[in-house]
Amino acid sequence: MNVMLRRICRRNCCTYSPQPWLFVGLGNPGDKYRGTRHNIGFEMLDAFANSQGIHMETVHCKAMFGKGFVNGIPVFLAKPLTYMNLSGESIGPLAAYYKLPLNRVVVFHDDMDLPCGVLRLHPKGGHNRHNGLKNVIYHFRRNGEFPRLRIGIGRPPGQMDPKAFMLQKFNSTARERIDAALLEGAHALEQVLSKGFSESSHCFNTIQKYKHIRLQTLPT
């Protein structure tokens, strides 16, 4: 009996494979938009890919695409080439192609409701007037039950048009904060893969809450 149990355990261990994750950065393709506030989702994905040595050199489902393993966990990386407002046309088919449940799809996006450089991991939510997220939710059959990494870009000064603000590049002060946030975000995403979303997001968001308090009154 013990011999049989060992054989079953050995067989199960050999066939077990962890479920993949899909990480998606939102942004607009092309040099015109590189380095702008609205493209910070792309930058976060690049930062994570670089930290793990994952190359994104192919096009798959209308996205720049790469795949690799992080501590034995398979992960797919994608930057939609559809332009921001049609991001779901890429992400929906990608998730369907790999048969991924929505709780294994993490979307990175800019967020004006957070101070510049502050991050949050959320398990689900609405689109909060973000057109990229709105389109993703639409292509997930109007389901917002997928995790997000919110990346704070701050509010436009004075009466500045929010659309113009999002399409501007960061000034030097804001750029410093964003560069630090990219490192923090890449590390947090590695923790998501190794520890799961709930545990890693709780620890990460607690740290980011104090960063929020510290930065919310400082100019950028």
Side-chain angles (χ1 to χ4, degrees):
M1 186 67 171
N2 289 338
V3 173
M4 185 180 295
L5 284 173
R6 282 198 297 271
R7 286 175 179 171
I8 292 172
C9 289
R10 194 158 50 236
R11 185 165 62 247
N12 287 342
C13 288
C14 291
T15 57
Y16 170 77
S17 57
Q19 191 174 40
W21 289 80
L22 170 61
F23 287 174
V24 181
L26 299 189
N28 289 307
D31 291 339
K32 176 181 177 181
Y33 300 102
R34 186 173 288 119
T36 61
R37 293 180 175 91
H38 212 27
N39 265 38
I40 193 59
F42 274 12
E43 287 197 50
M44 183 62 78
L45 196 78
D46 287 338
F48 179 78
N50 292 337
S51 73
Q52 302 299 327
I54 299 174
H55 299 289
M56 302 184 63
E57 299 172 338
T58 60
V59 177
H60 182 29
C61 292
K62 300 182 182 179
M64 290 303 301
F65 181 80
K67 57 186 176 180
F69 288 86
V70 178
N71 298 325
I73 308 296
V75 59
F76 305 121
L77 308 180
K79 294 192 295 184
L81 300 174
T82 55
Y83 288 94
M84 175 71 82
N85 293 357
L86 298 175
S87 297
E89 292 183 4
S90 170
I91 303 173
L94 262 176
Y97 182 87
Y98 290 107
K99 297 180 173 61
L100 296 174
L102 295 192
N103 65 0
R104 304 294 282 194
V105 181
V106 185
V107 178
F108 316 160
H109 65 91
D110 57 296
D111 195 318
M112 288 197 297
D113 289 336
L114 291 174
C116 182
V118 174
L119 308 174
R120 285 287 192 281
L121 283 166
H122 279 207
K124 60 184 178 179
H127 58 77
N128 197 27
R129 303 180 305 280
H130 190 290
N131 288 331
L133 277 179
K134 185 177 182 180
N135 194 255
V136 172
I137 291 171
Y138 175 79
H139 283 273
F140 281 160
R141 299 182 179 180
R142 296 180 172 83
N143 190 338
E145 303 279 316
F146 57 90
R148 304 98 190 278
L149 174 57
R150 299 167 56 203
I151 308 164
I153 61 171
R155 285 278 177 188
Q159 300 299 313
M160 185 178 184
D161 179 8
K163 291 181 180 178
F165 176 74
M166 289 189 299
L167 295 177
Q168 277 188 345
K169 295 188 176 183
F170 295 100
N171 62 31
S172 58
T173 302
R175 185 73 251 178
E176 284 184 17
R177 293 189 192 176
I178 288 297
D179 288 344
L182 293 175
L183 296 175
E184 294 169 358
H187 178 70
L189 292 164
E190 184 177 352
Q191 295 299 302
V192 167
L193 294 175
S194 61
K195 297 182 179 179
F197 193 88
S198 295
E199 180 181 345
S200 54
S201 63
H202 176 75
C203 297
F204 180 70
N205 288 340
T206 299
I207 295 170
Q208 291 293 313
K209 181 177 75 171
Y210 292 109
K211 184 178 179 182
H212 186 153
I213 295 170
R214 179 167 52 86
L215 293 182
Q216 65 183 344
T217 59
L218 297 179
T220 52

